[in-house]
Amino acid sequence: MAAPGSGQAGMMAEMMLDHTHDPAAHCWVPGADAHPDFPVQNLPLGVYSIGGGSPRIGVAIGDMVLDAQGLPDLPGDVQDALRQPTLNRLFALPPAERTRLRHALFAYLTGEPAKHAPLHAVADCTLHLPFTVGDYTDFYVGIHHATNIGALFRPDNPLLPNYRHVPIGYHGRASSVRVSGTPVVRPNGQTKAPDAAAPGFGPCRRLDYELELGVWIAGDNELGQPVPIAQAWDRIGGLCVLNDWSARDIQAWEYQPLGPFLAKNFCTSVSPWVVTAEALAPFRTAPRLRSATDPKLLPYLANEADAAFGALSLQTEVALQSAAMRAANLPPVVLSRGDSADAMYWTLAQLVTHHASNGCDLRAGDLLGTGTLSGPARESFGSLMELSEGGKRPVPLPGGEERTFLEDGDTLTITVRAEREGARTIGLGTCTGTIAPAR
Amino acid sequence: MAAPGSGQAGMMAEMMLDHTHDPAAHCWVPGADAHPDFPVQNLPLGVYSIGGGSPRIGVAIGDMVLDAQGLPDLPGDVQDALRQPTLNRLFALPPAERTRLRHALFAYLTGEPAKHAPLHAVADCTLHLPFTVGDYTDFYVGIHHATNIGALFRPDNPLLPNYRHVPIGYHGRASSVRVSGTPVVRPNGQTKAPDAAAPGFGPCRRLDYELELGVWIAGDNELGQPVPIAQAWDRIGGLCVLNDWSARDIQAWEYQPLGPFLAKNFCTSVSPWVVTAEALAPFRTAPRLRSATDPKLLPYLANEADAAFGALSLQTEVALQSAAMRAANLPPVVLSRGDSADAMYWTLAQLVTHHASNGCDLRAGDLLGTGTLSGPARESFGSLMELSEGGKRPVPLPGGEERTFLEDGDTLTITVRAEREGARTIGLGTCTGTIAPAR
């Protein structure tokens, strides 16, 4: 079992790893050991149902879902939490309880094969939103994205003076968060072309995606009680893939002076599986994007551990398949590939700590989006707005089509994996959605 | 019983009034007929508890709370909803069910005096947040406020070109909404004085209040399904008084480019009683602030009824009592008085319709803030930021003190009443909070 990094950082990171991260571990569920996303080292949690049944908590293992009720060797509060229809109660428990659950799952799935294990093929399951979302906050940690978008909206002033001091974020809409696969209805809205005398109302013509990671918050802090950065990782329950669908033309007209509103709240898609902070421990690394010439961090946002391995290195891929491509049996085309550590200026712990620094109460089941993760080069940009340079440079698709923004029938899929030499690759899974026509 | 307005508008408004608005109606609860806020024409709903008991739904009548369980002549779904610990289920029912409840309450309280009515002195009750808040959205309908604040942040460009076309709003934080009376802990945060080389972190030094109305949403619309303006009032469950506590120094540094975040989410206070749309019907009036030279409304935001009586005329008052004033037995001093119809450029129906115009799903228990309600003159400004002209002109207090922004120990109280000749005055009650020192 390898530890990330070297020296003190490596030693500190190694302390977060245990036998459940062993790349050689063997699971008796057929196909799990070879699965690209969900081997026994991952053990993500989610909510599933079969037929018209009630939602239940499950664990992804290979191409199967293991029902989480009735596992042996778990304390009563964990058992109770696993009988709920969402993960909120489980992630309100102390983090040690979820570590215990991970160890129990690992022991069960790597021990003597169970004869009557409650396993279902994921193909037979409906996957649900894993939490009742309390509040949804979207950040803006992608410094290349902030620079690219800023240049389009404010050519003279792309990256604002506060960017490297304060993790910029804003509140999103919790009601319209949906699980991956939910059709995305093209929104109507007010838009105004720069040369138009007045705005009009109608279907969005600059519909875009945004590649993001989502963080599901664990635990609770009382209103008025901040979360020191040393405790911030205890509040990170797990991660998902997030697509912050965006109506660029609505956004351009409405966003001054209070920020995006209807441009962003018609649907936010998340992948169904919650990949826990424990499972992601091997992929923590030192932040790469804060340079020596950058402003010194204010003390509340800095500690040694965060500087040593507060970042996450996850491999992202965005693919698009149009209706015409689907009809012609053309596979999805990859629009971009990147690494989250090359995109994120701020760490997840800094987001949690900053969010609660004024006493704001974060609750189990709250969702944080990182903001769009664009790498430094065009090949790793996380939105069509950036890839098409604000609509000026169409992106060619197989079959002769091209895109500046999304069209009806387009299916957009984001896939995120965690890969590192010496560690077993695990996946966050996919977040996908198909554009339905405006109503 | 008088009808507001005259001509067609008056006739349309009169149709909304019934015997429950009769100013001559008599209630047998002692003191109710003379109560300034809660006579039998009001019948606001809330959630209370006594001692350490469970929260229950109640109705304010005079200085008493009537427990809402066990009322006669109500259908089963209303009875069920009244047994819940919050109002969410009741306000998810069709509006006709709440009208039926209003009629049943009115009949009970104006009929034969009940011998064993479940009445409690409000002084013996703890009042709770009436809903589990789903999402909280804050608008910006106060055109004088937008102009005043815009002039401080952007002297060259106070009211942005979109203001008269699109109801500006942004998402707030639901987790930190608290019932009136909850202490407001002064937030810490990043701030940067204009002449400072770098930001610092510490207690907010420009803590402010914002006088707002809150709208509790009733009913639900599916994601993707807009709410036509003709149906928007069916989605307005009731109103409350709202104080959007604001950290102006944190806001100035963080708000570009995505809007206010930590400057606003450390606490939002709401009054405990939900004054229903039915109770407020006599106080609807024609919008006053859209002039003939203003841009024509886009069709989705306009209809005859809204133009005729889409506005609400409510009288507002803001009062402050410092710790020193309290110690010297000096009463609170009134900082401003105003009329909501002189402050609101957009109607509540326009806010609901605009919010859902892109398909965003609004759910029973969602909260909308109007944004700060400032009248045209200084005497009716709704925040210290405006009263003190950004801190340049201190407001004198009795006892020799003065204020540019709120200090620890200050108690800020907003009171809202609905008064009109020919109608019985009703009150929304008060929204109050005392500033506690930063932690």
Side-chain angles (χ1 to χ4, degrees):
Chain A
M1 180 169 18
S6 61
Q8 192 181 7
M11 285 193 300
M12 290 168 79
E14 199 165 1
M15 287 168 57
M16 298 184 299
L17 305 186
D18 63 26
H19 65 284
T20 66
H21 301 100
D22 181 356
H26 164 64
C27 169
W28 49 260
V29 174
D33 286 352
H35 199 275
D37 291 324
F38 304 131
V40 75
Q41 293 83 356
N42 193 343
L43 301 174
L45 297 153
V47 173
Y48 78 101
S49 63
I50 295 186
S54 299
R56 295 168 67 97
I57 294 175
V59 181
I61 181 72
D63 286 323
M64 310 293 277
V65 176
L66 175 70
D67 191 90
Q69 291 188 29
L71 286 168
D73 304 324
L74 287 172
D77 56 350
V78 177
Q79 301 271 14
D80 283 348
L82 291 172
R83 279 192 289 268
Q84 304 303 312
T86 68
L87 294 172
N88 292 69
R89 192 183 294 184
L90 182 67
F91 281 79
L93 297 175
E97 299 281 52
R98 286 187 299 283
T99 302
R100 197 159 167 176
L101 171 61
R102 177 177 172 84
H103 287 181
L105 285 166
F106 188 87
Y108 179 80
L109 290 166
T110 58
E112 199 63 31
K115 284 212 172 116
H116 303 289
L119 284 164
H120 309 284
V122 71
D124 296 336
C125 298
T126 301
L127 300 178
H128 300 275
L129 200 58
F131 290 89
T132 299
V133 185
D135 278 286
Y136 163 43
T137 300
D138 205 15
F139 283 94
Y140 203 51
V141 307
I143 192 169
H144 306 300
H145 171 75
T147 307
N148 294 339
I149 293 284
L152 294 168
F153 279 76
R154 296 174 305 275
D156 50 330
N157 197 17
L159 197 67
L160 292 170
N162 56 7
Y163 189 86
R164 288 184 165 89
H165 294 275
V166 54
I168 297 293
Y170 70 105
H171 299 117
R173 178 90 189 167
S175 74
S176 51
V177 175
R178 289 293 182 281
V179 74
S180 170
T182 306
V184 179
V185 179
R186 179 181 298 274
N188 289 298
Q190 270 199 42
T191 59
K192 181 181 165 300
D195 55 350
F201 183 84
C204 164
R205 284 181 292 190
R206 290 163 76 93
L207 184 59
D208 203 356
Y209 65 90
E210 291 194 335
L211 153 64
E212 303 196 15
L213 296 172
V215 175
W216 292 107
I217 291 292
D220 294 271
N221 58 298
E222 291 290 318
L223 188 67
Q225 196 63 46
V227 178
I229 193 155
Q231 293 163 25
W233 270 94
D234 282 350
R235 303 299 305 280
I236 296 170
L239 266 64
C240 64
V241 189
L242 187 149
N243 186 342
D244 180 29
W245 305 96
S246 297
R248 302 296 181 195
D249 43 359
I250 297 174
Q251 185 176 354
W253 175 234
E254 74 171 3
Y255 94 109
Q256 289 275 24
L258 298 181
F261 178 43
L262 301 190
K264 298 276 197 173
N265 68 9
F266 55 93
C267 187
T268 303
S269 301
V270 293
S271 58
W273 295 108
V274 181
V275 176
T276 62
E278 294 99 318
L280 290 166
F283 309 98
R284 290 177 60 174
T285 185
R288 297 173 190 165
L289 299 186
R290 180 170 288 277
S291 74
T293 58
D294 278 4
K296 193 167 148 52
L297 280 169
L298 282 164
Y300 79 105
L301 289 175
N303 74 348
E304 199 181 355
D306 203 56
F309 54 96
L312 273 172
S313 173
L314 306 177
Q315 287 66 53
T316 64
E317 184 183 282
V318 180
L320 185 149
Q321 188 184 43
S322 70
M325 290 166 67
R326 205 157 36 241
N329 279 323
L330 292 168
V333 60
V334 172
L335 296 181
S336 70
R337 287 195 180 90
D339 183 323
S340 57
D342 294 328
M344 294 177 66
Y345 186 77
W346 297 98
T347 67
L348 301 185
Q350 285 168 335
L351 303 188
V352 169
T353 292
H354 180 65
H355 203 324
S357 65
N358 68 342
C360 181
D361 50 338
L362 308 181
R363 302 171 297 185
D366 286 347
L367 177 63
L368 312 184
T370 54
T372 309
L373 300 184
S374 293
R378 192 173 177 284
E379 293 70 36
S380 56
F381 286 174
S383 70
L384 272 172
M385 184 76 163
E386 294 166 87
L387 287 170
S388 73
E389 295 171 20
K392 292 193 293 288
R393 182 175 163 185
V395 176
L397 302 185
E401 292 182 283
E402 59 181 29
R403 286 291 178 278
T404 47
F405 293 97
L406 295 169
E407 300 197 0
D408 293 347
D410 285 356
T411 299
L412 197 290
T413 303
I414 308 174
T415 305
V416 178
R417 289 216 172 86
E419 297 176 337
R420 186 179 60 75
E421 203 180 314
R424 175 62 166 93
T425 296
I426 63 173
L428 270 64
T430 60
C431 181
T432 188
T434 300
I435 309 302
R439 290 184 188 163
Chain B
M1 181 167 24
S6 62
Q8 192 180 9
M11 285 194 299
M12 291 168 80
E14 200 167 2
M15 289 168 58
M16 298 185 298
L17 304 187
D18 62 27
H19 65 285
T20 66
H21 301 99
D22 183 355
H26 163 65
C27 170
W28 49 260
V29 174
D33 286 352
H35 198 275
D37 291 325
F38 304 132
V40 75
Q41 293 84 354
N42 193 343
L43 302 174
L45 297 152
V47 173
Y48 78 100
S49 64
I50 294 186
S54 299
R56 296 168 68 98
I57 294 175
V59 182
I61 181 73
D63 285 323
M64 310 293 278
V65 176
L66 175 71
D67 191 90
Q69 292 188 29
L71 286 168
D73 303 324
L74 287 172
D77 54 351
V78 177
Q79 301 271 14
D80 283 349
L82 292 173
R83 280 193 287 269
Q84 305 302 312
T86 69
L87 294 172
N88 292 69
R89 193 184 292 183
L90 182 68
F91 281 80
L93 296 175
E97 299 281 53
R98 286 186 299 283
T99 302
R100 198 161 167 175
L101 172 60
R102 176 177 173 83
H103 287 182
L105 284 166
F106 188 87
Y108 180 79
L109 290 166
T110 58
E112 199 64 29
K115 286 213 174 115
H116 303 288
L119 285 164
H120 308 284
V122 70
D124 296 337
C125 298
T126 300
L127 300 178
H128 301 275
L129 201 58
F131 289 90
T132 298
V133 187
D135 277 287
Y136 163 44
T137 299
D138 205 14
F139 283 94
Y140 202 50
V141 307
I143 191 168
H144 306 300
H145 171 75
T147 306
N148 294 340
I149 292 285
L152 292 168
F153 279 77
R154 297 174 304 276
D156 51 331
N157 198 17
L159 197 66
L160 292 169
N162 57 8
Y163 189 86
R164 288 184 165 89
H165 294 276
V166 55
I168 297 294
Y170 70 105
H171 299 117
R173 178 89 189 168
S175 74
S176 51
V177 176
R178 288 294 182 279
V179 74
S180 170
T182 306
V184 178
V185 179
R186 180 181 297 275
N188 288 297
Q190 270 199 43
T191 59
K192 181 181 166 300
D195 55 350
F201 182 85
C204 163
R205 283 179 292 190
R206 290 163 75 94
L207 184 58
D208 203 356
Y209 65 90
E210 291 194 335
L211 154 64
E212 303 196 13
L213 295 173
V215 176
W216 293 108
I217 291 292
D220 294 270
N221 58 299
E222 290 290 317
L223 189 66
Q225 196 64 45
V227 178
I229 191 155
Q231 294 162 27
W233 270 94
D234 283 351
R235 303 300 305 281
I236 296 171
L239 265 64
C240 64
V241 189
L242 187 149
N243 185 343
D244 181 30
W245 305 96
S246 297
R248 302 295 180 195
D249 43 359
I250 296 173
Q251 185 176 353
W253 176 233
E254 75 171 2
Y255 95 108
Q256 290 274 23
L258 299 180
F261 178 42
L262 300 192
K264 300 274 199 174
N265 68 10
F266 55 93
C267 187
T268 303
S269 300
V270 293
S271 59
W273 295 108
V274 181
V275 176
T276 62
E278 294 98 318
L280 291 167
F283 309 97
R284 289 176 61 175
T285 186
R288 298 175 189 162
L289 299 185
R290 179 170 289 278
S291 75
T293 57
D294 278 4
K296 193 169 148 51
L297 280 169
L298 283 163
Y300 80 105
L301 289 175
N303 75 349
E304 200 181 353
D306 203 55
F309 54 98
L312 273 173
S313 173
L314 306 177
Q315 287 65 52
T316 62
E317 183 183 283
V318 180
L320 186 148
Q321 187 183 43
S322 70
M325 290 166 67
R326 205 159 34 244
N329 278 322
L330 292 168
V333 60
V334 172
L335 297 181
S336 70
R337 287 195 179 90
D339 182 323
S340 58
D342 294 328
M344 295 179 64
Y345 186 78
W346 297 98
T347 68
L348 300 184
Q350 286 168 334
L351 302 188
V352 169
T353 292
H354 180 65
H355 202 322
S357 65
N358 67 343
C360 181
D361 51 339
L362 308 182
R363 303 172 297 185
D366 286 347
L367 178 62
L368 311 184
T370 54
T372 308
L373 299 185
S374 293
R378 190 172 178 283
E379 292 70 34
S380 57
F381 286 175
S383 69
L384 273 173
M385 184 76 164
E386 294 166 89
L387 288 170
S388 74
E389 294 171 22
K392 292 194 293 288
R393 180 176 164 185
V395 176
L397 301 185
E401 292 183 284
E402 59 180 29
R403 286 292 178 276
T404 48
F405 294 97
L406 295 170
E407 300 198 0
D408 293 349
D410 285 355
T411 299
L412 197 290
T413 303
I414 307 175
T415 305
V416 179
R417 288 215 172 88
E419 298 176 335
R420 186 179 60 75
E421 204 180 314
R424 174 62 165 93
T425 295
I426 63 173
L428 270 64
T430 60
C431 182
T432 190
T434 299
I435 309 303
R439 291 183 187 165

